[in-house]
mmCIF file of all heavy atoms in Angstrom:
data_model
loop_
_atom_site.group_PDB
_atom_site.id
_atom_site.type_symbol
_atom_site.label_atom_id
_atom_site.label_comp_id
_atom_site.label_asym_id
_atom_site.label_seq_id
_atom_site.Cartn_x
_atom_site.Cartn_y
_atom_site.Cartn_z
ATOM 1 N N LEU B 118 -98.030 53.359 -54.896
ATOM 2 C CA LEU B 118 -97.421 52.032 -55.056
ATOM 3 C C LEU B 118 -96.025 52.164 -55.656
ATOM 4 O O LEU B 118 -95.079 51.494 -55.218
ATOM 5 C CB LEU B 118 -98.298 51.156 -55.950
ATOM 6 C CG LEU B 118 -99.697 50.840 -55.397
ATOM 7 C CD1 LEU B 118 -100.537 50.131 -56.461
ATOM 8 C CD2 LEU B 118 -99.592 50.001 -54.118
ATOM 9 N N ASP B 119 -95.894 53.062 -56.625
ATOM 10 C CA ASP B 119 -94.608 53.259 -57.281
ATOM 11 C C ASP B 119 -93.549 53.769 -56.301
ATOM 12 O O ASP B 119 -92.369 53.492 -56.446
ATOM 13 C CB ASP B 119 -94.773 54.241 -58.447
ATOM 14 C CG ASP B 119 -93.545 54.272 -59.326
ATOM 15 O OD1 ASP B 119 -93.171 53.192 -59.851
ATOM 16 O OD2 ASP B 119 -92.922 55.354 -59.461
ATOM 17 N N CYS B 120 -94.011 54.508 -55.282
ATOM 18 C CA CYS B 120 -93.083 55.032 -54.265
ATOM 19 C C CYS B 120 -92.663 53.950 -53.270
ATOM 20 O O CYS B 120 -91.770 54.169 -52.453
ATOM 21 C CB CYS B 120 -93.725 56.181 -53.491
ATOM 22 S SG CYS B 120 -93.908 57.689 -54.458
ATOM 23 N N GLY B 121 -93.352 52.818 -53.299
ATOM 24 C CA GLY B 121 -92.969 51.724 -52.407
ATOM 25 C C GLY B 121 -93.628 51.753 -51.048
ATOM 26 O O GLY B 121 -93.161 51.078 -50.111
ATOM 27 N N ALA B 122 -94.716 52.510 -50.901
ATOM 28 C CA ALA B 122 -95.397 52.569 -49.602
ATOM 29 C C ALA B 122 -95.868 51.175 -49.183
ATOM 30 O O ALA B 122 -96.236 50.353 -50.025
ATOM 31 C CB ALA B 122 -96.584 53.525 -49.671
ATOM 32 N N ASP B 123 -95.864 50.934 -47.866
ATOM 33 C CA ASP B 123 -96.337 49.650 -47.326
ATOM 34 C C ASP B 123 -97.856 49.563 -47.311
ATOM 35 O O ASP B 123 -98.420 48.488 -47.077
ATOM 36 C CB ASP B 123 -95.848 49.467 -45.881
ATOM 37 C CG ASP B 123 -94.340 49.395 -45.790
ATOM 38 O OD1 ASP B 123 -93.740 48.629 -46.571
ATOM 39 O OD2 ASP B 123 -93.768 50.110 -44.934
ATOM 40 N N GLY B 124 -98.494 50.720 -47.486
ATOM 41 C CA GLY B 124 -99.953 50.708 -47.454
ATOM 42 C C GLY B 124 -100.514 52.027 -47.942
ATOM 43 O O GLY B 124 -99.816 53.039 -47.992
ATOM 44 N N VAL B 125 -101.787 51.977 -48.336
ATOM 45 C CA VAL B 125 -102.478 53.205 -48.743
ATOM 46 C C VAL B 125 -103.643 53.436 -47.784
ATOM 47 O O VAL B 125 -104.409 52.533 -47.487
ATOM 48 C CB VAL B 125 -102.980 53.134 -50.202
ATOM 49 C CG1 VAL B 125 -101.807 53.175 -51.173
ATOM 50 C CG2 VAL B 125 -103.855 51.930 -50.456
ATOM 51 N N ASN B 126 -103.709 54.674 -47.308
ATOM 52 C CA ASN B 126 -104.819 55.082 -46.462
ATOM 53 C C ASN B 126 -105.781 55.888 -47.329
ATOM 54 O O ASN B 126 -105.613 57.083 -47.532
ATOM 55 C CB ASN B 126 -104.312 55.910 -45.265
ATOM 56 C CG ASN B 126 -103.784 55.031 -44.145
ATOM 57 O OD1 ASN B 126 -103.785 53.804 -44.255
ATOM 58 N ND2 ASN B 126 -103.351 55.651 -43.060
ATOM 59 N N LEU B 127 -106.768 55.180 -47.873
ATOM 60 C CA LEU B 127 -107.745 55.811 -48.763
ATOM 61 C C LEU B 127 -108.803 56.534 -47.943
ATOM 62 O O LEU B 127 -109.142 56.104 -46.835
ATOM 63 C CB LEU B 127 -108.417 54.748 -49.627
ATOM 64 C CG LEU B 127 -107.479 53.992 -50.565
ATOM 65 C CD1 LEU B 127 -108.147 52.710 -51.067
ATOM 66 C CD2 LEU B 127 -107.063 54.876 -51.748
ATOM 67 N N LEU B 128 -109.352 57.599 -48.496
ATOM 68 C CA LEU B 128 -110.406 58.332 -47.777
ATOM 69 C C LEU B 128 -111.408 58.897 -48.763
ATOM 70 O O LEU B 128 -111.104 59.104 -49.941
ATOM 71 C CB LEU B 128 -109.817 59.477 -46.951
ATOM 72 C CG LEU B 128 -109.421 60.745 -47.724
ATOM 73 C CD1 LEU B 128 -109.495 61.945 -46.807
ATOM 74 C CD2 LEU B 128 -108.032 60.598 -48.333
ATOM 75 N N PHE B 129 -112.609 59.136 -48.240
ATOM 76 C CA PHE B 129 -113.676 59.744 -49.024
ATOM 77 C C PHE B 129 -114.628 60.432 -48.060
ATOM 78 O O PHE B 129 -114.959 59.871 -47.013
ATOM 79 C CB PHE B 129 -114.444 58.675 -49.820
ATOM 80 C CG PHE B 129 -114.587 59.037 -51.270
ATOM 81 C CD1 PHE B 129 -114.302 58.109 -52.260
ATOM 82 C CD2 PHE B 129 -115.001 60.310 -51.652
ATOM 83 C CE1 PHE B 129 -114.413 58.437 -53.609
ATOM 84 C CE2 PHE B 129 -115.106 60.646 -52.990
ATOM 85 C CZ PHE B 129 -114.814 59.712 -53.978
ATOM 86 N N GLY B 130 -115.037 61.638 -48.390
ATOM 87 C CA GLY B 130 -116.001 62.371 -47.560
ATOM 88 C C GLY B 130 -117.395 61.822 -47.773
ATOM 89 O O GLY B 130 -117.895 61.807 -48.895
ATOM 90 N N THR B 131 -118.030 61.353 -46.719
ATOM 91 C CA THR B 131 -119.333 60.694 -46.867
ATOM 92 C C THR B 131 -120.500 61.499 -46.312
ATOM 93 O O THR B 131 -121.657 61.164 -46.572
ATOM 94 C CB THR B 131 -119.325 59.310 -46.174
ATOM 95 O OG1 THR B 131 -118.735 59.465 -44.878
ATOM 96 C CG2 THR B 131 -118.523 58.311 -46.983
ATOM 97 N N SER B 132 -120.228 62.562 -45.551
ATOM 98 C CA SER B 132 -121.346 63.352 -45.009
ATOM 99 C C SER B 132 -122.000 64.147 -46.126
ATOM 100 O O SER B 132 -121.381 64.432 -47.153
ATOM 101 C CB SER B 132 -120.835 64.312 -43.925
ATOM 102 O OG SER B 132 -119.925 65.235 -44.485
ATOM 103 N N ALA B 133 -123.257 64.535 -45.912
ATOM 104 C CA ALA B 133 -123.978 65.298 -46.934
ATOM 105 C C ALA B 133 -123.242 66.598 -47.240
ATOM 106 O O ALA B 133 -123.074 66.974 -48.403
ATOM 107 C CB ALA B 133 -125.409 65.582 -46.462
#
Side-chain angles (χ1 to χ4, degrees):
Chain B
L118 297 172
D119 191 58
C120 289
D123 297 312
V125 290
N126 279 0
L127 297 163
L128 78 153
F129 230 133
T131 46
S132 63

